[in-house]
């Protein structure tokens, strides 16, 4: 069973930065052949797409609210995907999850699987 472990969350003031990491293991296939994504879920809200990256790392996708502030990247040698978050806002507060792309789209929840346990990000105003 694929295992994804997120880390790097924490409490930060508005305008600050955090870098999330997601380490993948027990892949039945090559990590380097899998698209990866980050999603987040705020209290009382549905889980939503944040960013995704193609297997090679050459193409990335972002939800509009994080464009220019967040950067997704990956290190296939380390089976790790990152989310660099800058200029954080209180509305970025959520549990952040990484997942493996399994379907045709790059932003739909239903097209991702093998979710990690999440890491909490809290941005104070």
């Amino acid at each position: 069973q694929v295992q994804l472990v997120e880390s790097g969350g924490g409490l930060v003031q508005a305008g600050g930065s955090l870098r999330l990491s997601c380490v993948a293991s027990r892949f039945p296939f090559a990590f380097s052949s899998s698209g990866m994504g980050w999603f987040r879920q705020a209290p009382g809200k549905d889980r939503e797409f944040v960013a995704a990256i193609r297997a090679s790392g050459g193409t990335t996708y972002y939800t509009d609210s994080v464009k220019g502030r967040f950067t997704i990247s990956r290190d296939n040698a380390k089976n790790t995907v990152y989310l660099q978050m800058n200029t954080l806002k209180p509305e970025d507060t959520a549990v952040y999850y990484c997942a493996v792309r399994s379907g045709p789209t790059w932003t739909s929840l239903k097209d991702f699987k093998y979710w990690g346990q999440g890491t909490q990000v809290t941005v104070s105003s």
Side-chain angles (χ1 to χ4, degrees):
Q1 180 72 7
V2 171
Q3 185 175 25
L4 301 173
V5 179
E6 301 96 336
S7 63
L11 173 63
V12 63
Q13 289 188 334
S17 298
L18 285 173
R19 188 195 195 201
L20 306 184
S21 299
C22 170
V23 180
S25 61
R26 302 177 186 173
F27 262 55
F29 40 84
F31 174 81
S32 59
S33 66
S34 300
M36 299 293 295
W38 284 98
F39 289 74
R40 66 186 179 186
Q41 187 166 18
K45 295 188 177 181
D46 292 335
R47 193 170 298 188
E48 65 174 2
F49 169 77
V50 175
I53 187 168
R54 287 187 178 262
S56 65
T59 303
T60 56
Y61 307 86
Y62 298 94
T63 191
D64 286 346
S65 63
V66 308
K67 285 180 180 177
R69 301 188 298 122
F70 290 11
T71 302
I72 187 172
S73 62
R74 64 191 296 161
D75 184 340
N76 286 339
K78 296 181 178 179
N79 281 15
T80 301
V81 62
Y82 304 98
L83 186 67
Q84 177 67 44
M85 306 186 296
N86 298 330
T87 318
L88 282 161
K89 305 176 180 179
E91 51 263 43
D92 294 318
T93 295
V95 178
Y96 284 70
Y97 301 89
C98 67
V100 181
R101 178 176 175 260
S102 59
T105 77
W106 286 94
T107 62
S108 177
L109 201 69
K110 64 178 177 60
D111 289 325
F112 286 79
K113 63 179 180 180
Y114 300 132
W115 298 87
Q117 84 290 346
T119 186
Q120 176 71 48
V121 171
T122 303
V123 184
S124 63
S125 57

